[in-house]
Amino acid sequence: DILNEKGATIKGTVEMNVPVKAITPAQMQGKYDVIILLTKQLHNKEVVTMLKEYLTENGVIVTLQNGIPEPGIAEIVGAEHTMGCTVEWGAALIEPGVCELTSDKDSLSFHMGKMDGITDAQFNMVKDLLEMMCPVHEEENLMGARWSKLLINATFSGLGTVVGGVFGDVSEDKDAQKVAIRCMKECIDVGHATGTEFAPVQGKNIVGLFYYKGALKRALGCKLLPIAMKKHRLIEPSMLQDLKNGKPCEIDAINGVGANDLFGGIKGDPGQLGGAAYQCIRRNCHAGGDQSAQIVLAFVNHGIGGGSAHINEDHGTGVLLNTGNSGHHQVAAQLSGVVDTDAESCFNAGANH
């Protein structure tokens, strides 16, 4: 009702209001050439199955969701009706009918690809539609683009949710950088284990910039993080927004991809750090959480340095989580408090964290 009465209002790095005609799923009628899917992946099977009945013969579902949703959607509607698009900007829902754009307006772009069977006519129809907002780049390597976006989300959305902050709280804090760069490496390792070739992000080779094998390249990657995320530093993770509002979040579709080997047959290490962030957010999500901004990561420093974790007491308290470790330790610590001079020794302590 608010959208129909007042239109869609965008604030933040742009200011605009757009009149719209909004309907609920129950009010849908007829067939659609293009359906842009913007829902969370929590109920994709039910949502896409319902939408299938509303596609024209050559209609397409274009998913702008996080994670890697295309294979699951194609199983329901067919690859010839499935297109994927990575969204390389961030925004937050402020109130009904009002969103805040948190990325610089000159950094907005879509990277769109198609599954087998999508024609040029279908692709160009969607491209023309999305270019009413910002540039659309044709992505030949759709899965590579998806994994590249997943790398960003798993690192900055995952860790941003853990610390209860925005992307800049991860990219600009020296201690958080030590964790972020390791999370990025883990995601690249898991992606490579699937045979994925990561695609550039807004023209930048993220594997070349941030993948490392030694301490020097790792330190250089840390220095580059605030520069790379400068235009997106104010993005608040949607998972954190959901937890604050007492809603389930789509952690399974983001950090869960690497942590749970969702693609099967992966021989690479699913990742100690990504897995720890995944477990932290998932438990808080299923427990309902306290919806505070102080979502914190619970770790067990089990068997390292006498079994005591380094905890910074100056950042307040957060959600105290049972780690599931056999020692049944419970440690609530802000990210910057957990990481010491050698973060790996902390995070490699125990398989379950």
Side-chain angles (χ1 to χ4, degrees), residues 34-36 62 110 123-134 136:
V34 178
I35 296 177
I36 298 176
V62 187
F110 293 115
F123 184 89
N124 290 330
M125 174 177 59
V126 177
K127 184 173 184 286
D128 290 344
L129 182 63
L130 293 180
E131 281 186 334
M132 294 181 181
M133 177 183 169
C134 64
V136 176

mmCIF file of all heavy atoms in Angstrom, residues 34-36 62 110 123-134 136:
data_model
loop_
_atom_site.group_PDB
_atom_site.id
_atom_site.type_symbol
_atom_site.label_atom_id
_atom_site.label_comp_id
_atom_site.label_asym_id
_atom_site.label_seq_id
_atom_site.Cartn_x
_atom_site.Cartn_y
_atom_site.Cartn_z
ATOM 1 N N VAL A 34 9.634 -11.274 -18.301
ATOM 2 C CA VAL A 34 10.781 -11.157 -17.402
ATOM 3 C C VAL A 34 10.291 -11.102 -15.955
ATOM 4 O O VAL A 34 9.433 -10.289 -15.616
ATOM 5 C CB VAL A 34 11.615 -9.891 -17.695
ATOM 6 C CG1 VAL A 34 12.780 -9.780 -16.711
ATOM 7 C CG2 VAL A 34 12.121 -9.892 -19.129
ATOM 8 N N ILE A 35 10.826 -11.962 -15.125
ATOM 9 C CA ILE A 35 10.592 -11.900 -13.682
ATOM 10 C C ILE A 35 11.949 -11.739 -13.018
ATOM 11 O O ILE A 35 12.824 -12.597 -13.153
ATOM 12 C CB ILE A 35 9.892 -13.165 -13.149
ATOM 13 C CG1 ILE A 35 8.497 -13.295 -13.764
ATOM 14 C CG2 ILE A 35 9.802 -13.120 -11.621
ATOM 15 C CD1 ILE A 35 7.755 -14.569 -13.353
ATOM 16 N N ILE A 36 12.156 -10.613 -12.333
ATOM 17 C CA ILE A 36 13.413 -10.356 -11.630
ATOM 18 C C ILE A 36 13.248 -10.833 -10.193
ATOM 19 O O ILE A 36 12.389 -10.348 -9.455
ATOM 20 C CB ILE A 36 13.780 -8.866 -11.675
ATOM 21 C CG1 ILE A 36 13.987 -8.431 -13.132
ATOM 22 C CG2 ILE A 36 15.039 -8.596 -10.865
ATOM 23 C CD1 ILE A 36 14.266 -6.956 -13.306
ATOM 24 N N VAL A 62 15.233 -13.867 -13.888
ATOM 25 C CA VAL A 62 16.555 -13.270 -13.726
ATOM 26 C C VAL A 62 16.812 -13.131 -12.227
ATOM 27 O O VAL A 62 16.160 -12.348 -11.542
ATOM 28 C CB VAL A 62 16.636 -11.888 -14.392
ATOM 29 C CG1 VAL A 62 18.066 -11.362 -14.348
ATOM 30 C CG2 VAL A 62 16.117 -11.936 -15.820
ATOM 31 N N PHE A 110 25.856 -3.946 -12.940
ATOM 32 C CA PHE A 110 25.385 -5.324 -12.967
ATOM 33 C C PHE A 110 26.332 -6.138 -13.850
ATOM 34 O O PHE A 110 26.823 -5.636 -14.865
ATOM 35 C CB PHE A 110 23.977 -5.432 -13.565
ATOM 36 C CG PHE A 110 22.894 -4.796 -12.745
ATOM 37 C CD1 PHE A 110 22.194 -3.697 -13.227
ATOM 38 C CD2 PHE A 110 22.536 -5.314 -11.508
ATOM 39 C CE1 PHE A 110 21.175 -3.119 -12.495
ATOM 40 C CE2 PHE A 110 21.518 -4.744 -10.762
ATOM 41 C CZ PHE A 110 20.842 -3.644 -11.255
ATOM 42 N N PHE A 123 18.417 -12.183 -23.723
ATOM 43 C CA PHE A 123 19.462 -11.491 -22.977
ATOM 44 C C PHE A 123 19.362 -9.981 -23.168
ATOM 45 O O PHE A 123 19.415 -9.207 -22.205
ATOM 46 C CB PHE A 123 20.841 -11.988 -23.421
ATOM 47 C CG PHE A 123 21.978 -11.387 -22.643
ATOM 48 C CD1 PHE A 123 22.435 -11.992 -21.485
ATOM 49 C CD2 PHE A 123 22.592 -10.211 -23.065
ATOM 50 C CE1 PHE A 123 23.488 -11.441 -20.756
ATOM 51 C CE2 PHE A 123 23.636 -9.657 -22.350
ATOM 52 C CZ PHE A 123 24.082 -10.280 -21.188
ATOM 53 N N ASN A 124 19.223 -9.538 -24.404
ATOM 54 C CA ASN A 124 19.184 -8.104 -24.690
ATOM 55 C C ASN A 124 17.935 -7.450 -24.116
ATOM 56 O O ASN A 124 17.971 -6.272 -23.723
ATOM 57 C CB ASN A 124 19.269 -7.865 -26.197
ATOM 58 C CG ASN A 124 20.641 -8.206 -26.758
ATOM 59 O OD1 ASN A 124 21.652 -8.090 -26.069
ATOM 60 N ND2 ASN A 124 20.678 -8.651 -28.013
ATOM 61 N N MET A 125 16.830 -8.187 -24.071
ATOM 62 C CA MET A 125 15.606 -7.653 -23.475
ATOM 63 C C MET A 125 15.835 -7.308 -22.005
ATOM 64 O O MET A 125 15.458 -6.238 -21.525
ATOM 65 C CB MET A 125 14.460 -8.667 -23.615
ATOM 66 C CG MET A 125 13.172 -8.285 -22.916
ATOM 67 S SD MET A 125 11.855 -9.496 -23.198
ATOM 68 C CE MET A 125 12.609 -10.991 -22.533
ATOM 69 N N VAL A 126 16.477 -8.215 -21.283
ATOM 70 C CA VAL A 126 16.750 -7.983 -19.858
ATOM 71 C C VAL A 126 17.823 -6.907 -19.688
ATOM 72 O O VAL A 126 17.715 -6.043 -18.805
ATOM 73 C CB VAL A 126 17.195 -9.293 -19.176
ATOM 74 C CG1 VAL A 126 17.545 -9.037 -17.717
ATOM 75 C CG2 VAL A 126 16.094 -10.337 -19.279
ATOM 76 N N LYS A 127 18.827 -6.924 -20.539
ATOM 77 C CA LYS A 127 19.905 -5.935 -20.462
ATOM 78 C C LYS A 127 19.350 -4.525 -20.622
ATOM 79 O O LYS A 127 19.697 -3.609 -19.864
ATOM 80 C CB LYS A 127 20.942 -6.221 -21.539
ATOM 81 C CG LYS A 127 22.174 -5.308 -21.510
ATOM 82 C CD LYS A 127 23.199 -5.806 -22.531
ATOM 83 C CE LYS A 127 24.482 -4.977 -22.471
ATOM 84 N NZ LYS A 127 24.284 -3.642 -23.076
ATOM 85 N N ASP A 128 18.467 -4.328 -21.600
ATOM 86 C CA ASP A 128 17.863 -3.012 -21.820
ATOM 87 C C ASP A 128 17.062 -2.576 -20.602
ATOM 88 O O ASP A 128 17.039 -1.388 -20.248
ATOM 89 C CB ASP A 128 16.960 -3.043 -23.051
ATOM 90 C CG ASP A 128 17.737 -3.183 -24.348
ATOM 91 O OD1 ASP A 128 18.962 -2.953 -24.338
ATOM 92 O OD2 ASP A 128 17.120 -3.545 -25.378
ATOM 93 N N LEU A 129 16.420 -3.520 -19.961
ATOM 94 C CA LEU A 129 15.609 -3.209 -18.782
ATOM 95 C C LEU A 129 16.494 -2.753 -17.614
ATOM 96 O O LEU A 129 16.245 -1.714 -16.996
ATOM 97 C CB LEU A 129 14.792 -4.437 -18.393
ATOM 98 C CG LEU A 129 13.835 -4.292 -17.206
ATOM 99 C CD1 LEU A 129 12.755 -3.272 -17.512
ATOM 100 C CD2 LEU A 129 13.201 -5.643 -16.886
ATOM 101 N N LEU A 130 17.542 -3.517 -17.328
ATOM 102 C CA LEU A 130 18.395 -3.199 -16.182
ATOM 103 C C LEU A 130 19.253 -1.960 -16.417
ATOM 104 O O LEU A 130 19.628 -1.263 -15.465
ATOM 105 C CB LEU A 130 19.283 -4.399 -15.851
ATOM 106 C CG LEU A 130 18.577 -5.648 -15.320
ATOM 107 C CD1 LEU A 130 19.578 -6.762 -15.045
ATOM 108 C CD2 LEU A 130 17.784 -5.335 -14.046
ATOM 109 N N GLU A 131 19.553 -1.662 -17.685
ATOM 110 C CA GLU A 131 20.374 -0.493 -17.967
ATOM 111 C C GLU A 131 19.629 0.815 -17.748
ATOM 112 O O GLU A 131 20.231 1.891 -17.814
ATOM 113 C CB GLU A 131 20.920 -0.558 -19.397
ATOM 114 C CG GLU A 131 22.119 -1.490 -19.515
ATOM 115 C CD GLU A 131 22.762 -1.460 -20.883
ATOM 116 O OE1 GLU A 131 22.051 -1.134 -21.866
ATOM 117 O OE2 GLU A 131 23.964 -1.768 -20.976
ATOM 118 N N MET A 132 18.338 0.725 -17.457
ATOM 119 C CA MET A 132 17.618 1.930 -17.033
ATOM 120 C C MET A 132 18.142 2.428 -15.688
ATOM 121 O O MET A 132 17.924 3.577 -15.317
ATOM 122 C CB MET A 132 16.115 1.647 -16.937
ATOM 123 C CG MET A 132 15.461 1.351 -18.253
ATOM 124 S SD MET A 132 13.686 1.049 -18.079
ATOM 125 C CE MET A 132 13.240 0.707 -19.786
ATOM 126 N N MET A 133 18.827 1.538 -14.953
ATOM 127 C CA MET A 133 19.389 1.924 -13.663
ATOM 128 C C MET A 133 20.879 2.195 -13.733
ATOM 129 O O MET A 133 21.350 3.241 -13.293
ATOM 130 C CB MET A 133 19.128 0.841 -12.618
ATOM 131 C CG MET A 133 19.761 1.167 -11.288
ATOM 132 S SD MET A 133 19.553 -0.110 -10.048
ATOM 133 C CE MET A 133 20.696 0.522 -8.801
ATOM 134 N N CYS A 134 21.642 1.233 -14.269
ATOM 135 C CA CYS A 134 23.098 1.378 -14.284
ATOM 136 C C CYS A 134 23.675 0.456 -15.356
ATOM 137 O O CYS A 134 22.960 -0.380 -15.914
ATOM 138 C CB CYS A 134 23.701 1.075 -12.909
ATOM 139 S SG CYS A 134 23.490 -0.622 -12.336
ATOM 140 N N VAL A 136 25.216 -2.505 -17.507
ATOM 141 C CA VAL A 136 25.130 -3.962 -17.442
ATOM 142 C C VAL A 136 26.261 -4.540 -18.280
ATOM 143 O O VAL A 136 26.379 -4.248 -19.471
ATOM 144 C CB VAL A 136 23.782 -4.480 -17.964
ATOM 145 C CG1 VAL A 136 23.764 -6.009 -17.962
ATOM 146 C CG2 VAL A 136 22.629 -3.934 -17.126
#
